[in-house]
Amino acid sequence: MTTYYAHTFPGDATRQRWQRLKDHAAQVAEQARQYAAPFGEGDRAALAGLLHDLGKYGVLFQRRLCGLERGLDHWSAGACLAKQAYRDAGLALAIAGHHTGLPCGDAETLRDLTLERLSTQHPLGLRLTEPDPDQTNLKKLIQRLLEDGLTLPRPGVLPLQPGQTAADMLDTRMLFSALVDADYLDTEAAMRADDEPPRPAGLPLDAPRLLAALEERLAELACEESLPPTTRALRADLMQACRAAGEATGPLWTLTAPTGSGKTLALLLFALTRAVCQPPARPIRRIVVVLPFLSLLDQTAEEYRRIVAAAGLDPACLLEHHSLAGTHAAHSDSAARQLTENWDAPLILTTSVQLLESLHAHTPGACRKLHRLAQSIILLDEVQTLPAPLAVLTLKTLARLTQEKYGATVVMATATQPAFDLLSEQVREAGNAGWQPQEMAPPPLRLFERSKRVTPHWHLETPTPWATVQDWLRQEPHSLCIVNLRQDALTLAQALSDAPGLRHLSTFLCPAHRRAVLEEIRADLQAGRPVRLVSTQCVEAGVDLDFPVVFRALAPLDAIAQAAGRCNRHGRRPYGKLHVFLPEEDRYPTSAYQRAALLTLSLARENGGHLNLADPATFRRFYERLWPYTTTNRAELREAVARQDYPTVARLYRLIPQDSVNVVVPYGEGPALIEEARQQGITRAWMRRAQPYTVTVFRRPDGTLPPHCEPVNLRTRHGAPAQSADTWFVCPHPEAYDAQLLGWQPDGGGAEPFVL
């Protein structure tokens, strides 16, 4: 009997270490079944595992393993069988995309998914693995699979039903995730060298021990004498409200609490309390904490690591999946990097970009971790940073996760809740019941009224010259000024370069540089030394800075409120001062940002020139006026969902503009990484190490980049032609990066679009 193989093994001419195809198919099927079982799709996932490599039973593929063929498609045979015999569109798409990514899933594309058509009009120019493919040859592949000892379930009888909604797309991505993760892991195990340690197994969530450690930490903070009694009392009330919410039922929550009230630990308290109270039959498997900015992630990770250590748990319980994670010794080893590939950990700390773009992705690498979200608690902090044009699609996807099928709990936290419930009817679709969350902090707590510690001053009658802003900062030795554009921050910092204690923060500084500057600022503020900080929005949304005076250029109302959160943050002064001014050059990073800023201006003028930032009703009025203008202008994205076009949805769903590149700068380890890239080319491992030393640089309208952006090549095998790394560049010129104050030095060609 012929032996069919799935994978070869390097250097094994005897084929003793080659993986048999029947073993690979059976093991992937069983692993995929386990991954999909928490959301009731174990049988479909197992069938996907059996069929995903059906084309490898073709004679041409077996020749390919011997180096006699190339350019073959081994996945479409299984996809065609899933469509034709099992009448399962999602299953067919998952199998078809397990190497190249989920394709479009509309009726026309599915109709064209036949071996006859692919044999003559393959979209990638590949050949199928069995010559002259037709129904007879598909039967040959099935017969070989059965003769290999595998069994298939009976074919389906229902009509083929292509998806139509965002909920349908998530269902397919979750099935796809279970398949590709099982496939990756089984292949990885088959290819592991004898002296290579196995992949580490993920740890379970030990919620009782973590909760006990968290309660001890909260008790310590409750006795912190540096905080006023009013602040400690407010935090205690918030914690008790979150405990009560954790003991209650319901999958969808908001936490609306003022800055400085301890939301970060309150969210974790809710999640761990809920995990402890959850029925054993359907346990909480993991907690995913999602934050928008690296500066906020870094300070949150430090607190969480302290709690994990106090609980006496393995540091691997906390998995950090963001670009600064590799700078910590505990997360620099290959085991931690492996776990980030599929989020096999009980407590995950990641970015909004990583989670939300993965939930709308189409590639195997991005979707691989999604099945881990079933029966999880997802804590999204600072949700006001979600781009308004993406709000409805995001809510539809998250709403599907909270349905009984997936059993996830979603919490949206911020001091400036975006009133997403106003979009409930737009979120409602087959598979979703709308968006009606419960609030953890009940109105009788009067959190905002009790935490009022800032007096706003509104300078909106006429534009304020930048020279006046400079004078304000010179007069205040401890002050923060937040502007809307990186170029404005750079120009203002240059003009104030002789002012004592001047600091500059924007994404013109690489992440490692920003972190170092934040540490210096906190130390200087604590010591009473002068600090005059000029920054973009990168210091808003949870960054633990406390200034007596803050100046804020006109911005969307939520951004102004976040700026107020950096003013008298801990209530150690009777009050702080927030000055909101209208810049003389009325420039904004995007049209949506400008619309929201001008709406703020309009509301303030309608209200006598000011707004009450301590009243949640103010923000509700803002969003009532904002949503109609910002959620209806993404027709292309809506149409892509309607036709189940996974690649187009992934391309359009971007939290950060994509007309940009990564430039590694000469800061910290940057010079060594730059030299390595120039001499050897770059790899994925190099990219991970380089991210803390990169800045985002936008292409000019003509597609060119500023000076000092030197292209690099991907590292290739010896003798292979060089291939340019399109989105990665290096800057080997020290004069192009000011490591003391200003960071990246653009060519002065005007304001660039701002990116957080």
Side-chain angles (χ1 to χ4, degrees):
M1 181 176 174
T2 302
T3 300
Y4 295 94
Y5 294 98
H7 303 106
T8 61
F9 192 85
D12 178 16
T14 66
R15 303 192 180 188
Q16 294 299 309
R17 286 294 307 272
W18 288 26
Q19 186 183 33
R20 294 184 301 179
L21 182 51
K22 67 175 183 179
D23 295 336
H24 178 61
Q27 287 158 192
V28 171
E30 181 55 31
Q31 190 67 73
R33 181 192 299 277
Q34 294 178 28
Y35 288 158
F39 50 94
E41 295 289 4
D43 289 345
R44 288 178 75 209
L47 180 55
L50 290 173
L51 298 182
H52 79 290
D53 280 353
L54 179 62
K56 290 187 176 182
Y57 280 105
V59 295
L60 296 184
F61 184 84
Q62 295 301 308
R63 285 171 55 82
R64 176 189 176 278
L65 292 179
C66 300
L68 302 176
E69 297 284 351
R70 57 185 303 176
L72 300 177
D73 167 356
H74 67 265
W75 50 88
S76 289
C80 290
L81 184 60
K83 185 197 80 166
Q84 295 167 203
Y86 293 98
R87 316 302 294 163
D88 190 329
L91 183 66
L93 293 173
I95 295 170
H98 81 272
H99 279 292
T100 59
L102 288 166
C104 185
D106 64 354
E108 181 179 354
T109 304
L110 288 170
R111 186 174 61 247
D112 290 342
L113 182 59
T114 66
L115 295 186
E116 292 86 349
R117 186 176 184 88
L118 289 170
S119 66
T120 58
Q121 301 180 44
H122 198 288
L124 300 178
L126 302 177
R127 293 178 297 147
L128 301 179
T129 61
E130 188 68 14
D132 302 321
D134 56 22
Q135 291 300 321
T136 302
N137 286 337
L138 181 57
K139 290 179 180 178
K140 289 181 182 178
L141 299 176
I142 299 170
Q143 186 62 34
R144 291 168 189 162
L145 178 147
L146 297 174
E147 290 174 352
D148 222 5
L150 300 173
T151 59
L152 295 174
R154 294 178 64 84
V157 294
L158 297 176
L160 186 71
Q161 292 288 343
Q164 295 180 317
T165 67
D168 292 327
M169 297 188 84
L170 180 67
D171 289 347
T172 298
R173 289 191 191 96
M174 293 291 276
L175 179 67
F176 179 59
S177 170
L179 170 63
V180 296
D181 195 23
D183 187 29
Y184 274 124
L185 290 177
D186 189 67
T187 303
E188 177 187 287
M191 297 294 102
R192 184 178 298 119
D194 293 335
D195 59 349
E196 184 179 352
R199 170 182 283 262
L203 299 170
L205 176 64
D206 193 339
R209 289 176 66 179
L210 285 169
L211 181 58
L214 174 58
E215 292 284 14
E216 289 182 7
R217 176 63 176 154
L218 293 174
E220 291 176 14
L221 294 173
C223 300
E224 191 175 325
E225 295 183 357
S226 62
L227 294 178
T230 54
T231 300
R232 296 202 297 265
L234 184 145
R235 289 186 174 184
D237 287 347
L238 177 62
M239 296 303 166
Q240 184 53 42
C242 290
R243 283 190 195 91
E247 294 168 355
T249 59
L252 189 56
W253 294 82
T254 56
L255 175 57
T256 309
T259 56
S261 59
K263 286 195 304 297
T264 299
L265 293 183
L267 286 169
L268 186 60
L269 179 61
F270 164 85
L272 291 172
T273 302
R274 170 152 291 204
V276 168
C277 296
Q278 191 76 3
R282 198 161 169 80
I284 298 298
R285 302 193 303 161
R286 59 187 42 79
I287 297 169
V288 184
V289 183
V290 187
L291 298 162
F293 306 129
L294 291 174
S295 51
L296 183 54
L297 269 160
D298 206 39
Q299 67 188 40
T300 302
E302 183 178 354
E303 189 67 65
Y304 282 16
R305 284 194 293 269
R306 181 205 300 260
I307 292 166
V308 169
L313 297 175
D314 189 323
C317 284
L318 174 61
L319 178 64
E320 298 178 51
H321 191 183
H322 53 89
S323 62
L324 286 181
T327 63
H328 299 293
H331 293 271
S332 60
D333 59 358
S334 60
R337 287 197 298 272
Q338 284 180 318
L339 293 175
T340 64
E341 295 171 350
N342 65 350
W343 282 8
D344 192 7
L347 184 57
I348 296 163
L349 186 59
T350 191
T351 62
S352 304
V353 169
Q354 185 59 243
L355 174 76
L356 296 180
E357 290 192 1
S358 293
L359 279 168
H360 298 89
H362 78 297
T363 59
C367 293
R368 179 178 174 182
K369 55 187 169 289
L370 296 183
H371 68 90
R372 306 280 182 186
L373 298 177
Q375 295 175 225
S376 66
I377 298 177
I378 304 171
L379 307 173
L380 295 116
D381 202 0
E382 307 298 349
V383 293
Q384 79 284 349
T385 59
L386 175 66
L390 300 177
V392 171
L393 179 55
T394 304
L395 297 180
K396 286 183 176 183
T397 302
L398 292 173
R400 182 58 173 157
L401 277 175
T402 66
Q403 299 304 306
E404 184 177 356
K405 178 183 179 73
Y406 296 110
T409 300
V410 171
V411 182
M412 290 193 152
T414 176
T416 55
Q417 198 63 239
F420 288 130
D421 60 292
L422 296 172
L423 304 175
S424 184
E425 285 306 310
Q426 296 184 56
V427 174
R428 193 183 307 278
E429 63 181 17
N432 287 337
W435 191 268
Q436 292 295 331
Q438 302 176 70
E439 171 59 43
M440 287 188 206
L445 286 183
R446 301 181 297 108
L447 294 179
F448 287 87
E449 180 183 338
R450 293 164 58 192
S451 66
K452 189 174 181 180
R453 53 187 183 268
V454 176
T455 302
H457 301 269
W458 301 81
H459 309 272
L460 302 178
E461 299 82 5
T462 58
T464 300
W466 286 112
T468 300
V469 177
Q470 294 175 32
D471 290 340
W472 288 345
L473 287 164
R474 290 185 184 278
Q475 293 166 17
E476 297 289 349
H478 301 96
S479 55
L480 163 64
C481 181
I482 304 175
V483 297
N484 294 319
L485 295 170
R486 296 194 298 184
Q487 187 67 51
D488 288 346
L490 185 66
T491 302
L492 189 57
Q494 289 171 325
L496 291 165
S497 59
D498 61 335
L502 182 70
R503 299 287 199 286
H504 165 244
L505 277 175
S506 78
T507 52
F508 277 150
L509 279 63
C510 66
H513 192 178
R514 292 201 302 272
R515 185 172 64 176
V517 171
L518 282 169
E519 291 174 355
E520 294 172 1
I521 290 170
R522 293 187 183 108
D524 286 347
L525 287 173
Q526 187 172 6
R529 293 186 287 268
V531 177
R532 294 172 170 90
L533 174 58
V534 175
S535 180
T536 59
Q537 297 96 317
C538 66
V539 298
E540 292 175 347
V543 177
D544 190 10
L545 292 176
D546 189 354
F547 286 88
V549 181
V550 174
F551 303 97
R552 183 57 168 99
L554 178 69
L557 183 62
D558 57 286
I560 292 172
Q562 292 296 333
R566 306 324 111 197
C567 184
N568 196 21
R569 180 173 177 81
H570 301 301
R572 295 189 176 102
R573 310 170 187 87
Y575 63 91
K577 295 180 181 179
L578 170 69
H579 295 270
V580 183
F581 64 94
L582 182 63
E584 60 181 340
E585 294 179 353
D586 201 17
R587 301 183 302 178
Y588 300 94
T590 66
S591 59
Y593 192 97
Q594 179 180 26
R595 186 181 298 111
L598 296 181
L599 173 58
T600 302
L601 178 62
S602 176
L603 288 172
R605 288 176 172 171
E606 291 173 12
N607 198 53
H610 63 88
L611 291 169
N612 184 358
L613 299 178
D615 184 1
T618 301
F619 296 93
R620 190 165 186 85
R621 289 195 299 273
F622 171 74
Y623 283 106
E624 285 174 344
R625 298 263 290 268
L626 179 67
W627 286 137
Y629 293 98
T630 56
T631 59
T632 59
N633 61 350
R634 296 303 297 270
E636 188 180 3
L637 187 55
R638 293 198 309 274
E639 292 166 2
V641 171
R643 65 177 182 269
Q644 304 286 281
D645 189 340
Y646 293 87
T648 299
V649 168
R651 176 175 60 82
L652 296 176
Y653 189 99
R654 296 293 182 180
L655 271 67
I656 296 176
Q658 296 301 295
D659 57 340
S660 60
V661 298
N662 303 294
V663 180
V664 181
V665 296
Y667 178 89
E669 297 179 23
L673 289 160
I674 290 169
E675 188 59 25
E676 179 183 340
R678 298 175 87 186
Q679 297 296 326
Q680 304 176 33
I682 68 174
T683 63
R684 284 187 179 274
W686 180 93
M687 294 177 196
R688 284 193 294 267
R689 289 185 286 125
Q691 281 192 348
Y693 310 101
T694 63
V695 295
T696 300
V697 175
F698 285 86
R699 296 184 187 275
R700 297 165 170 152
D702 63 0
T704 62
L705 290 167
H708 310 305
C709 295
E710 179 180 302
V712 293
N713 291 325
L714 299 173
R715 192 176 302 177
T716 58
R717 295 177 180 176
H718 181 70
Q723 183 179 351
S724 176
D726 293 337
T727 59
W728 283 88
F729 292 77
V730 297
C731 173
H733 308 286
E735 68 274 13
Y737 191 85
D738 179 2
Q740 298 302 312
L741 178 65
L742 301 175
W744 174 257
Q745 300 292 286
D747 62 353
E752 292 187 272
F754 174 76
V755 14
L756 294 172

